Amino acid sequence: MPELPEMETYKSFLQQLISGQKITGVMINREKSINVPTEQFISFVSHQTIKSIRRRAKSLIFELQNGSCLLLHLMLGGRMFYGREEDRPDRTVQVQLSFGDHQLYFIGLRLGYLHFVSPEMIQQEFQDIGPEPLDSNFSLHAFQAIMKNKRGGLKTTLLNQEVIAGIGNRYSDEILWQAQLLPDRKINELNPEDIVRLYESIRTILQQGIQQGGYMDQPLFKGDNKTGGYEMYVHSRSGEKCRRCHSMIAMKEISSRKTYFCQNCQH
């Protein structure tokens, strides 16, 4: 599932590609991927200009000229591609937005969605979502306050979107490896130095993920050489050697999630 770095990469590219552009056509191949009847969705969205694109947690918000928005969550298996018809991937497209002779294809939206919503609905959607970990207001002091009364496991807490926004299964493993903390450690067992190291790791790994284009290996457009440049340190690398201490990377299930870590240098 795309997490914060992947959605931030998409956002940055789409701002360059379609911000300020008018939607000249809409095609819906799967009505379950949208939240209103097909005819209404097409009527609401057609001929609207994309005013801006922003990210919140693992979602993208396309702000339209009339003040309404398109809310995108790719969920598991979802992706996008922007280009001409002849460059389109050989995959089933659930939703397609046209911008002249270029299209933005929404692919793999079996669990994901593209919803037409009002600004009020956007506010309601994210009212229980935690702070953005790369926001300037997400200081060490703010993080310490969040962690102060938490007692759950590290992995489970990082996955909780009500605690911190945008971190999922992959980057939680990467963050805990960088911080040298085991994923099943309890937060109330951490010392102040552990908390500082965890905070710094969250910022470092997510920034690194963005700078390297996230982990998804399918390009957003023809000639896209950035998307998918991030190489995982531990996630999905069980049986391989840890890059730090050269011990074997292990895997176990935590909260029904496959979790990867180094038993030697994570404590």
Side-chain angles (χ1 to χ4, degrees):
M1 181 186 296
E3 301 179 31
L4 187 157
E6 288 70 44
M7 300 310 289
E8 189 68 24
T9 299
Y10 276 147
K11 183 203 79 173
S12 298
F13 276 137
L14 290 173
Q15 281 179 327
Q16 301 172 41
L17 295 168
I18 65 171
S19 184
Q21 300 296 313
K22 181 176 290 188
I23 300 170
T24 57
V26 181
M27 183 181 296
I28 307 296
N29 296 323
R30 184 175 185 270
E31 193 163 357
K32 288 183 178 180
S33 298
I34 57 176
N35 63 326
V36 296
T38 296
E39 296 77 13
Q40 288 185 26
F41 188 95
I42 293 173
S43 175
F44 292 156
V45 175
S46 294
H47 309 299
Q48 286 295 314
T49 297
I50 302 291
K51 188 177 178 182
S52 66
I53 303 163
R54 58 190 174 93
R55 180 194 58 76
R56 180 71 170 104
K58 302 176 189 177
S59 299
L60 288 188
I61 302 162
F62 299 80
E63 297 182 348
L64 305 179
Q65 186 180 8
N66 65 1
S68 55
C69 304
L70 294 175
L71 175 63
L72 172 69
H73 199 311
L74 291 174
M75 301 291 283
L76 186 65
R79 57 170 290 210
M80 289 182 281
F81 184 82
Y82 177 81
R84 300 177 186 271
E85 178 66 28
E86 58 265 29
D87 299 323
R88 166 184 156 176
D90 186 20
R91 291 279 306 279
T92 302
V93 173
Q94 284 74 45
V95 182
Q96 174 181 321
L97 302 181
S98 296
F99 299 86
D101 60 355
H102 283 67
Q103 285 77 39
L104 180 59
Y105 301 102
F106 297 88
I107 301 167
L109 294 185
R110 296 300 176 185
L111 298 174
Y113 53 82
L114 184 69
H115 286 178
F116 181 83
V117 293
S118 67
E120 292 75 24
M121 292 169 70
I122 290 287
Q123 186 173 0
Q124 184 177 2
E125 178 77 18
F126 296 111
Q127 65 181 355
D128 296 324
I129 298 297
E132 290 288 333
L134 297 181
D135 191 274
S136 58
N137 293 323
F138 189 74
S139 63
L140 174 59
H141 179 73
F143 180 67
Q144 289 168 329
I146 291 171
M147 293 293 110
K148 185 176 181 180
N149 297 315
K150 294 286 184 297
R151 303 182 65 83
L154 281 172
K155 169 88 173 187
T156 305
T157 300
L158 288 177
L159 292 176
N160 187 343
Q161 298 301 291
E162 294 184 9
V163 177
I164 303 172
I167 300 172
N169 195 38
R170 289 176 179 263
Y171 287 99
S172 59
D173 288 350
E174 300 292 284
I175 288 164
L176 292 172
W177 178 84
Q178 178 78 13
Q180 296 181 251
L181 296 169
L182 285 169
D184 53 3
R185 281 280 301 277
K186 301 297 183 184
I187 292 175
N188 57 303
E189 296 174 354
L190 302 182
N191 61 44
E193 291 75 19
D194 292 333
I195 294 291
V196 171
R197 200 162 62 251
L198 179 59
Y199 170 79
E200 292 174 345
S201 296
I202 290 171
R203 309 263 301 180
T204 297
I205 289 294
L206 294 179
Q207 287 169 345
Q208 186 174 315
I210 292 169
Q211 290 165 3
Q212 298 178 9
Y215 76 86
M216 294 177 70
D217 57 3
Q218 302 96 344
L220 176 61
F221 54 89
K222 188 176 181 180
D224 172 12
N225 296 316
K226 180 179 180 181
T227 300
Y230 181 81
E231 187 175 350
M232 296 284 163
Y233 290 106
V234 286
H235 190 86
S236 296
R237 293 188 176 278
S238 57
E240 297 182 26
K241 290 184 178 180
C242 172
R243 296 189 190 182
R244 186 166 47 218
C245 73
H246 308 295
S247 296
M248 289 297 178
I249 295 169
M251 188 277 288
K252 66 186 281 188
E253 284 200 7
I254 296 178
S255 299
S256 302
R257 305 289 188 96
K258 289 184 178 180
T259 301
Y260 300 84
F261 57 97
C262 176
Q263 299 180 88
N264 184 57
C265 64
Q266 289 179 246
H267 308 290

